[in-house]
Amino acid sequence: MAGIFKIVMKIKLDYPDDFHDYFSYRLVLILTCDRLLRQDKEMREYSMLAILVGLAIGIGLPMQTSINSRLRNSVGSPFGASLISFAVGTLFLAIMTLIDVHTLGFSTTLFTSQPVWIWLGGLLGVVYLTGNILLFPKLGSVQTVIMPVLGQILAGLLIDNFGWFDSPQSTLTMTRFLGAILVLAGVIITVAAQGWLEQRHNRITETAEKDTATETDQSGLGIWRALGVVAGMLSAMQTAVNGHLGRVLGSTVHAAFVSFLVGTLGLIVIVLVLRPQFKLIRPTKTPNPWWMWIGGMIGALYVLGNVYLVPVVGTGLAVVIVLVGLMAGSLMIDQFGWFASKKNPISGVQLMGLLVMIVGVTLIRVF
C-alpha cells in the first residue's frame, strides 16, 4: 500500500489537472495496482529461481567432492588434485566469460576505486578447501562437516545483519535466528545422529584410557574445532566477496572467472612450496573414468551460482540454501553410490534431519 501511495502522489504532483478528474483517478489507481502486482509476481519468481539455483549448486558440491576424491587417488596428491580441479574450472569459466562479455580483462581503475578484499574470494576458497583436508584426520568426517557449517551459518547471518562486504542488509530477527538453529540442527541430525545411535553402546562402554585423556589433547582438539568454524566463516565471506565482485564487474560469469583464477594462482604457489609428487596411476584395475576431470567445472558452477545468489537473497540465506542442497546431494550419493562411492542407504533419521533443515530455511526466507 505504501508503494501505491507514493506512486499515486507522484502522479498527482506531475499531472494535477488530470488527477482531480474522478475517472482519471480511478484509471491511475487501477494501472498502478496492476503494475505493482506484476512487479511483485516477477520478484517472487526471481526469488524462487534463486532458491532453485542455490539448491542445485548445493547438490553439486558433494558430487564435486566425490569426483575430486577419485582424482586424488589417481594423481596421488590432494594439492595436485585441487590444482587440476581449479585449473579446469578456470578454463571453463574463461570460455564462458569470453562468450558473455567477450573479454577476460577489466579496468585497472578497479584496483584503486574498489577495496582490496574484492579480489580475495578465490584465496578464501583455497583456504577453505585446504582447511577441510587438514581437519579430516584430526576431527573425523562428522565434525569436519559440522564445524564449518556452524561457521558458515554464523558468518552468513552476521554479514547480512551488518551489511559487510557491501551485501544486502537484512536485520537478524529472532525468527531468522531460530531458522538458522534449525538448519544447524538438521545438519547435525543428517550427518551425525545415525552414527551416534549405532555407536551408543560403544560410547557407554568406552575404555578408561579414553576417559583419562590429557588436558593437552583436549585443548588441541578444541583448537582444531575452532579452526573448522573459522574455515566455515571464510567460506561464507567468499560467497559475499564474490557476490560484490559480480556487481562491480557487471557480470556473474566474469566475477566467477576472476575468483577461480586467483584461487588457481594461489594453489600454484602452494604446490611450488610443498612440491608434491605428481603421478597418474590406476588405483583399481579398471581405467580411470573420464568424469574424474570434471570436478573443476562443477566447482566453477558453484562459485558462479553464489555470485548470482548474493545480490538476490543475501549472503546468509544463500549459505543456508546451499547447505540444504549440499545435505540432499550427499544423501543421494550415499543412496545410489554415484561416482564410485560406497552405497549407504538413507535412513529415516537422515530424512528427518533434511526436513528440519527445510523448515529452518522457510523461517529464514519467509520471516
Side-chain angles (χ1 to χ4, degrees), residues 18-334:
D18 294 336
F19 187 84
H20 287 293
D21 182 81
Y22 174 72
F23 295 102
S24 297
Y25 168 75
R26 291 187 63 185
L27 179 61
V28 168
L29 189 59
I30 291 171
L31 292 176
T32 301
C33 291
D34 179 68
R35 177 184 173 187
L36 288 177
L37 288 173
R38 282 189 284 109
Q39 288 179 343
D40 182 62
K41 181 180 178 181
E42 290 173 358
M43 286 301 297
R44 289 199 303 269
E45 292 175 350
Y46 197 50
S47 181
M48 181 58 65
L49 176 61
I51 292 175
L52 293 177
V53 169
L55 291 175
I57 63 175
I59 290 172
L61 197 58
M63 296 181 182
Q64 182 200 20
T65 301
S66 298
I67 291 171
N68 285 345
S69 297
R70 181 61 178 81
L71 180 63
R72 173 185 176 178
N73 292 336
S74 294
V75 300
S77 167
F79 294 102
S82 296
L83 178 57
I84 293 172
S85 180
F86 263 79
V88 171
T90 302
L91 179 61
F92 172 69
L93 287 171
I95 296 173
M96 292 186 63
T97 302
L98 288 174
I99 295 173
D100 182 39
V101 296
H102 311 296
T103 180
L104 299 180
F106 46 83
S107 175
T108 56
T109 58
L110 293 179
F111 289 109
T112 55
S113 62
Q114 295 294 326
V116 177
W117 50 258
I118 70 169
W119 312 106
L120 301 181
L123 293 180
L124 293 174
V126 170
V127 172
Y128 174 67
L129 177 66
T130 306
N132 279 341
I133 294 174
L134 297 175
L135 287 173
F136 186 81
K138 300 293 183 179
L139 298 180
S141 59
V142 172
Q143 293 190 55
T144 299
V145 172
I146 292 175
M147 293 300 120
V149 165
L150 175 59
Q152 287 174 323
I153 294 177
L154 176 62
L157 292 177
L158 289 175
I159 290 170
D160 271 1
N161 187 66
F162 296 104
W164 293 340
F165 306 111
D166 288 336
S167 295
Q169 193 168 359
S170 179
T171 305
L172 178 61
T173 64
M174 183 58 65
T175 305
R176 289 171 60 85
F177 180 74
L178 176 60
I181 294 297
L182 286 177
V183 172
L184 180 60
V187 171
I188 295 174
I189 293 172
T190 303
V191 175
Q194 184 67 20
W196 287 342
L197 291 174
E198 292 175 353
Q199 298 175 10
R200 181 182 178 186
H201 178 71
N202 293 334
R203 290 201 308 273
I204 295 175
T205 58
E206 286 175 337
T207 62
E209 180 180 356
K210 185 173 182 179
D211 292 335
T212 57
T214 63
E215 293 183 2
T216 302
D217 292 337
Q218 292 300 317
S219 62
L221 189 60
I223 292 174
W224 284 107
R225 289 170 177 161
L227 290 176
V229 174
V230 171
M233 296 180 74
L234 293 179
S235 176
M237 292 178 187
Q238 179 198 19
T239 299
V241 168
N242 287 342
H244 179 67
L245 181 61
R247 293 192 296 272
V248 170
L249 295 178
S251 169
T252 56
V253 179
H254 201 175
F257 164 72
V258 172
S259 178
F260 248 72
L261 179 61
V262 172
T264 301
L265 295 175
L267 276 169
I268 289 175
V269 173
I270 294 175
V271 167
L272 290 176
V273 172
L274 299 179
R275 297 183 181 276
Q277 292 184 351
F278 284 89
K279 55 182 179 179
L280 186 60
I281 61 174
R282 293 183 179 181
T284 61
K285 294 182 180 180
T286 59
N288 289 319
W290 62 269
W291 47 258
M292 77 177 191
W293 306 102
I294 66 170
M297 296 175 62
I298 298 177
L301 293 174
Y302 170 77
V303 173
L304 179 60
N306 273 314
V307 174
Y308 164 78
L309 279 177
V310 171
V312 179
V313 301
T315 302
L317 183 57
V319 167
V320 170
I321 293 172
V322 171
L323 285 176
V324 174
L326 186 152
M327 291 294 108
S330 299
L331 293 179
M332 286 191 291
I333 290 175
D334 281 351

